[in-house]
Amino acid sequence: MILNKFCVNLLMVFLPFMGFAQHGEVAISFEALADSLAKHPKPIIVNVYTDWCTYCSMQENGIKKSAELSATLGKEMYYLKLNAENRENISFNHKQYHFKPNGPSTGIHELVLELGKDSKDIAYPMWFILDARYKVQYSFSGYLKPKDLNTLLLAYLKAEKTQLSNRVSEGIN
């Protein structure tokens, strides 16, 4: 009887955590990017977020819970996360970027401004897809369901492979 109560109590403690397994972090650091690109060039995706953005949190939770999306981000691309209000200096593509205050306790990181210079609006979450030479190829903002984000990324990767194949074919002919 005591053993049964113990087992039931133990089950009640761990039951909420069962079935909610999350995948490990797939993002790499900005510091590791240059070495990783030198060894294995592949596209880069930068997720720009803020700590106060509810949709950003939802997006991150969706990434962690989606094995398919985590696999795409971890294997097919270099996935970087950038807090738009990060106050630390970031070295990116051989250049230093800093936090740029725009009020007593607010501001935006210069790297966000650099990546978004061709975007009409900066809204979070914001995504930038770059090629292996750090050139922005595509950007979009707003929350996307994990399945939709994965579909978009796979379409981009397919288009990139097709363009590469066409360039190789043109070089042979």
Side-chain angles (χ1 to χ4, degrees), residues 10-135:
L10 194 60
L11 187 61
M12 295 302 275
V13 169
F14 290 107
L15 188 60
F17 301 105
M18 297 172 77
F20 294 104
Q22 294 189 352
H23 305 277
E25 180 66 46
V26 294
I28 67 166
S29 68
F30 282 90
E31 294 82 18
L33 181 62
D35 288 340
S36 298
L37 278 171
K39 292 176 188 170
H40 185 65
K42 57 185 179 179
I44 304 160
I45 184 160
V46 180
N47 174 7
V48 179
Y49 68 96
T50 64
D51 292 333
W52 50 263
C53 170
T54 304
Y55 290 106
C56 299
S57 297
M58 289 171 48
Q59 191 77 77
E60 183 62 24
N61 288 335
I63 291 168
K64 287 180 180 177
K65 290 179 181 177
S66 172
E68 190 177 31
L69 179 55
S70 292
T72 301
L73 291 172
K75 294 176 185 169
E76 302 293 329
M77 309 179 99
Y78 290 115
Y79 173 50
L80 299 144
K81 296 186 334 184
L82 173 59
N83 184 339
E85 299 173 331
N86 181 1
R87 294 178 182 268
E88 296 176 18
N89 295 340
I90 296 176
S91 178
F92 185 74
N93 193 19
H94 310 292
K95 187 175 176 188
Q96 286 290 319
Y97 295 91
H98 312 279
F99 178 75
K100 184 177 178 183
N102 60 12
S105 61
T106 61
I108 189 166
H109 203 281
E110 289 176 333
L111 183 51
V112 176
L113 297 173
E114 177 67 23
L115 291 171
K117 67 184 174 192
D118 294 330
S119 301
K120 293 178 184 171
D121 294 315
I122 293 182
Y124 309 113
M126 190 161 200
W127 298 88
F128 296 95
I129 300 176
L130 295 80
D131 63 20
R133 294 176 309 278
Y134 299 97
K135 302 285 186 228

